[in-house]
Amino acid sequence: PYQAISMDKNQLAIEINPHRMSAFEVNDQSSSLIATRACTKKSDSGYKQTLQELIADCGNTDRFESFSCSYSQAQSTLVPMSLFGESTPENIINLTSHQAISKDEIDYNRLPEWNMVNVYRMPMWIKSALIMKLPRIVIQHELSHTLRFLNTGSTIPQRSQLILQEDHFCLVVRKDGQIAHASYQVYQSSEDVLYHLLYTYQQLNISSKGELFLQTSTEALRTLAEDVSKLAKTIAQFEAITITTSMNEHLKFQSLCV
């Protein structure tokens, strides 16, 4: 059911986190930035206005074949399909949330390829702003896109995807063909990111050959990713790990959902 878009089709891919919203033109060959806006008004109406301005910055959207949005924030939880069937999305996410999330802000994506469901908070302003302007848009959580991508190609090699956002990151580790770890962490420095990564690798007993992809969508975050990479190369635990940093590559994961 998740077919990648064909080579000549352009996709408008939007990335939203609590600090920034960006729009990209994506196809199989490239991902290029169209517009970006900082979230200066941190209220529902302020976020909605910023998103409306971002869509306006994209100009005439008729040139795109498909539309997608990735929302990145920590209020998400993965559960086995069997458990999801026995409960409700609101019960599941409110077990892991510090404050109650209203029912109309809870969404989920089924991931049959991993036999899991990702349940997450999706603020109403995202849907109301996007669906009004782009009725065909597919809006999902960043973690769902990452997990779908990790089911493409060979799933045997040990692989970690770390997507850096302004104050948090998403880390997913695939080991022995299974998802061994998926989490969101807040950070303040490259040392924080490396600490969480090292701790996760130690918990999972990872020291053998594998790949780590550090992915970003701004120049400032790319610099941070390169710092993490340099620091990691000084630590024995990462000796067998091939580390790659890239900009905008993870936006192509959204093409698996349109």
Side-chain angles (χ1 to χ4, degrees), residues 16-21 37-40 42 47 166-168:
I16 296 175
N17 70 39
H19 300 275
R20 169 186 53 85
M21 303 179 188
R37 289 204 171 238
C39 301
T40 50
K42 294 185 189 292
Y47 280 125
E166 273 70 2
D167 71 341
H168 67 268

PDB file of all heavy atoms in Angstrom, residues 16-21 37-40 42 47 166-168:
ATOM      1  N   ILE A  16       6.991  20.069  10.265  1.00  0.00           N
ATOM      2  CA  ILE A  16       6.567  20.966  11.348  1.00  0.00           C
ATOM      3  C   ILE A  16       7.117  20.459  12.673  1.00  0.00           C
ATOM      4  O   ILE A  16       7.019  19.270  12.979  1.00  0.00           O
ATOM      5  CB  ILE A  16       5.020  21.023  11.448  1.00  0.00           C
ATOM      6  CG1 ILE A  16       4.429  21.628  10.163  1.00  0.00           C
ATOM      7  CG2 ILE A  16       4.567  21.842  12.668  1.00  0.00           C
ATOM      8  CD1 ILE A  16       2.896  21.601  10.122  1.00  0.00           C
ATOM      9  N   ASN A  17       7.724  21.359  13.440  1.00  0.00           N
ATOM     10  CA  ASN A  17       8.027  21.067  14.841  1.00  0.00           C
ATOM     11  C   ASN A  17       7.641  22.301  15.650  1.00  0.00           C
ATOM     12  O   ASN A  17       7.249  23.318  15.062  1.00  0.00           O
ATOM     13  CB  ASN A  17       9.495  20.624  15.024  1.00  0.00           C
ATOM     14  CG  ASN A  17      10.498  21.741  14.817  1.00  0.00           C
ATOM     15  OD1 ASN A  17      10.279  22.887  15.225  1.00  0.00           O
ATOM     16  ND2 ASN A  17      11.630  21.427  14.196  1.00  0.00           N
ATOM     17  N   PRO A  18       7.707  22.271  16.976  1.00  0.00           N
ATOM     18  CA  PRO A  18       7.227  23.419  17.749  1.00  0.00           C
ATOM     19  C   PRO A  18       8.037  24.714  17.566  1.00  0.00           C
ATOM     20  O   PRO A  18       7.624  25.770  18.023  1.00  0.00           O
ATOM     21  CB  PRO A  18       7.330  22.931  19.205  1.00  0.00           C
ATOM     22  CG  PRO A  18       7.241  21.434  19.106  1.00  0.00           C
ATOM     23  CD  PRO A  18       7.970  21.100  17.861  1.00  0.00           C
ATOM     24  N   HIS A  19       9.178  24.642  16.871  1.00  0.00           N
ATOM     25  CA  HIS A  19      10.029  25.824  16.705  1.00  0.00           C
ATOM     26  C   HIS A  19      10.109  26.331  15.274  1.00  0.00           C
ATOM     27  O   HIS A  19      10.450  27.481  15.048  1.00  0.00           O
ATOM     28  CB  HIS A  19      11.453  25.509  17.192  1.00  0.00           C
ATOM     29  CG  HIS A  19      11.501  25.116  18.625  1.00  0.00           C
ATOM     30  ND1 HIS A  19      11.571  26.039  19.652  1.00  0.00           N
ATOM     31  CD2 HIS A  19      11.431  23.902  19.218  1.00  0.00           C
ATOM     32  CE1 HIS A  19      11.562  25.396  20.811  1.00  0.00           C
ATOM     33  NE2 HIS A  19      11.477  24.107  20.579  1.00  0.00           N
ATOM     34  N   ARG A  20       9.805  25.458  14.312  1.00  0.00           N
ATOM     35  CA  ARG A  20      10.017  25.823  12.910  1.00  0.00           C
ATOM     36  C   ARG A  20       9.086  25.027  12.009  1.00  0.00           C
ATOM     37  O   ARG A  20       8.757  23.883  12.297  1.00  0.00           O
ATOM     38  CB  ARG A  20      11.479  25.538  12.520  1.00  0.00           C
ATOM     39  CG  ARG A  20      11.786  25.621  11.031  1.00  0.00           C
ATOM     40  CD  ARG A  20      13.219  25.187  10.725  1.00  0.00           C
ATOM     41  NE  ARG A  20      13.546  23.885  11.281  1.00  0.00           N
ATOM     42  CZ  ARG A  20      13.287  22.721  10.685  1.00  0.00           C
ATOM     43  NH1 ARG A  20      12.683  22.695   9.508  1.00  0.00           N
ATOM     44  NH2 ARG A  20      13.625  21.580  11.260  1.00  0.00           N
ATOM     45  N   MET A  21       8.708  25.663  10.887  1.00  0.00           N
ATOM     46  CA  MET A  21       7.954  24.973   9.843  1.00  0.00           C
ATOM     47  C   MET A  21       8.678  25.219   8.522  1.00  0.00           C
ATOM     48  O   MET A  21       9.070  26.350   8.238  1.00  0.00           O
ATOM     49  CB  MET A  21       6.539  25.539   9.732  1.00  0.00           C
ATOM     50  CG  MET A  21       5.752  25.474  11.015  1.00  0.00           C
ATOM     51  SD  MET A  21       4.101  26.183  10.795  1.00  0.00           S
ATOM     52  CE  MET A  21       3.552  26.187  12.510  1.00  0.00           C
ATOM     53  N   ARG A  37       9.761  29.057   8.103  1.00  0.00           N
ATOM     54  CA  ARG A  37       9.302  30.100   9.035  1.00  0.00           C
ATOM     55  C   ARG A  37       9.528  29.648  10.468  1.00  0.00           C
ATOM     56  O   ARG A  37       9.223  28.512  10.815  1.00  0.00           O
ATOM     57  CB  ARG A  37       7.816  30.400   8.831  1.00  0.00           C
ATOM     58  CG  ARG A  37       7.561  31.143   7.519  1.00  0.00           C
ATOM     59  CD  ARG A  37       6.280  31.926   7.547  1.00  0.00           C
ATOM     60  NE  ARG A  37       6.182  32.778   6.371  1.00  0.00           N
ATOM     61  CZ  ARG A  37       6.052  34.095   6.413  1.00  0.00           C
ATOM     62  NH1 ARG A  37       6.014  34.729   7.577  1.00  0.00           N
ATOM     63  NH2 ARG A  37       5.942  34.804   5.308  1.00  0.00           N
ATOM     64  N   ALA A  38      10.034  30.560  11.283  1.00  0.00           N
ATOM     65  CA  ALA A  38      10.191  30.275  12.712  1.00  0.00           C
ATOM     66  C   ALA A  38       8.837  30.439  13.393  1.00  0.00           C
ATOM     67  O   ALA A  38       8.027  31.289  12.999  1.00  0.00           O
ATOM     68  CB  ALA A  38      11.200  31.243  13.319  1.00  0.00           C
ATOM     69  N   CYS A  39       8.585  29.615  14.406  1.00  0.00           N
ATOM     70  CA  CYS A  39       7.327  29.708  15.160  1.00  0.00           C
ATOM     71  C   CYS A  39       7.536  30.680  16.315  1.00  0.00           C
ATOM     72  O   CYS A  39       8.002  30.298  17.387  1.00  0.00           O
ATOM     73  CB  CYS A  39       6.922  28.338  15.685  1.00  0.00           C
ATOM     74  SG  CYS A  39       6.700  27.120  14.382  1.00  0.00           S
ATOM     75  N   THR A  40       7.214  31.934  16.082  1.00  0.00           N
ATOM     76  CA  THR A  40       7.439  32.959  17.108  1.00  0.00           C
ATOM     77  C   THR A  40       6.229  33.124  18.022  1.00  0.00           C
ATOM     78  O   THR A  40       6.368  33.473  19.182  1.00  0.00           O
ATOM     79  CB  THR A  40       7.777  34.316  16.456  1.00  0.00           C
ATOM     80  OG1 THR A  40       6.795  34.600  15.460  1.00  0.00           O
ATOM     81  CG2 THR A  40       9.154  34.274  15.785  1.00  0.00           C
ATOM     82  N   LYS A  42       3.756  31.172  19.943  1.00  0.00           N
ATOM     83  CA  LYS A  42       3.543  29.785  20.368  1.00  0.00           C
ATOM     84  C   LYS A  42       2.177  29.590  21.037  1.00  0.00           C
ATOM     85  O   LYS A  42       2.081  29.297  22.213  1.00  0.00           O
ATOM     86  CB  LYS A  42       4.695  29.340  21.261  1.00  0.00           C
ATOM     87  CG  LYS A  42       6.025  29.285  20.492  1.00  0.00           C
ATOM     88  CD  LYS A  42       7.131  28.726  21.342  1.00  0.00           C
ATOM     89  CE  LYS A  42       8.482  28.872  20.683  1.00  0.00           C
ATOM     90  NZ  LYS A  42       8.682  28.065  19.499  1.00  0.00           N
ATOM     91  N   TYR A  47       0.475  29.455  15.805  1.00  0.00           N
ATOM     92  CA  TYR A  47       1.009  28.370  14.975  1.00  0.00           C
ATOM     93  C   TYR A  47       0.238  28.262  13.664  1.00  0.00           C
ATOM     94  O   TYR A  47       0.813  28.111  12.586  1.00  0.00           O
ATOM     95  CB  TYR A  47       0.908  27.031  15.713  1.00  0.00           C
ATOM     96  CG  TYR A  47       1.988  26.769  16.738  1.00  0.00           C
ATOM     97  CD1 TYR A  47       1.656  26.451  18.056  1.00  0.00           C
ATOM     98  CD2 TYR A  47       3.339  26.796  16.387  1.00  0.00           C
ATOM     99  CE1 TYR A  47       2.640  26.178  19.001  1.00  0.00           C
ATOM    100  CE2 TYR A  47       4.328  26.530  17.329  1.00  0.00           C
ATOM    101  CZ  TYR A  47       3.979  26.222  18.634  1.00  0.00           C
ATOM    102  OH  TYR A  47       4.952  25.952  19.567  1.00  0.00           O
ATOM    103  N   GLU A 166      15.152  21.217  16.292  1.00  0.00           N
ATOM    104  CA  GLU A 166      15.771  22.322  17.025  1.00  0.00           C
ATOM    105  C   GLU A 166      16.076  22.025  18.494  1.00  0.00           C
ATOM    106  O   GLU A 166      17.098  22.466  19.007  1.00  0.00           O
ATOM    107  CB  GLU A 166      14.908  23.582  16.915  1.00  0.00           C
ATOM    108  CG  GLU A 166      15.195  24.433  15.696  1.00  0.00           C
ATOM    109  CD  GLU A 166      14.755  23.822  14.369  1.00  0.00           C
ATOM    110  OE1 GLU A 166      14.163  22.721  14.349  1.00  0.00           O
ATOM    111  OE2 GLU A 166      15.005  24.448  13.335  1.00  0.00           O
ATOM    112  N   ASP A 167      15.215  21.318  19.196  1.00  0.00           N
ATOM    113  CA  ASP A 167      15.514  21.056  20.620  1.00  0.00           C
ATOM    114  C   ASP A 167      15.280  19.603  21.000  1.00  0.00           C
ATOM    115  O   ASP A 167      15.350  19.234  22.146  1.00  0.00           O
ATOM    116  CB  ASP A 167      14.676  21.970  21.524  1.00  0.00           C
ATOM    117  CG  ASP A 167      13.196  21.578  21.517  1.00  0.00           C
ATOM    118  OD1 ASP A 167      12.775  20.880  20.572  1.00  0.00           O
ATOM    119  OD2 ASP A 167      12.472  21.961  22.443  1.00  0.00           O
ATOM    120  N   HIS A 168      14.965  18.761  20.001  1.00  0.00           N
ATOM    121  CA  HIS A 168      14.750  17.342  20.275  1.00  0.00           C
ATOM    122  C   HIS A 168      15.188  16.527  19.063  1.00  0.00           C
ATOM    123  O   HIS A 168      15.427  17.081  17.992  1.00  0.00           O
ATOM    124  CB  HIS A 168      13.268  17.065  20.592  1.00  0.00           C
ATOM    125  CG  HIS A 168      12.342  17.274  19.436  1.00  0.00           C
ATOM    126  ND1 HIS A 168      11.702  18.472  19.200  1.00  0.00           N
ATOM    127  CD2 HIS A 168      11.948  16.444  18.429  1.00  0.00           C
ATOM    128  CE1 HIS A 168      10.955  18.362  18.114  1.00  0.00           C
ATOM    129  NE2 HIS A 168      11.091  17.146  17.627  1.00  0.00           N
TER     130      HIS A 168
END
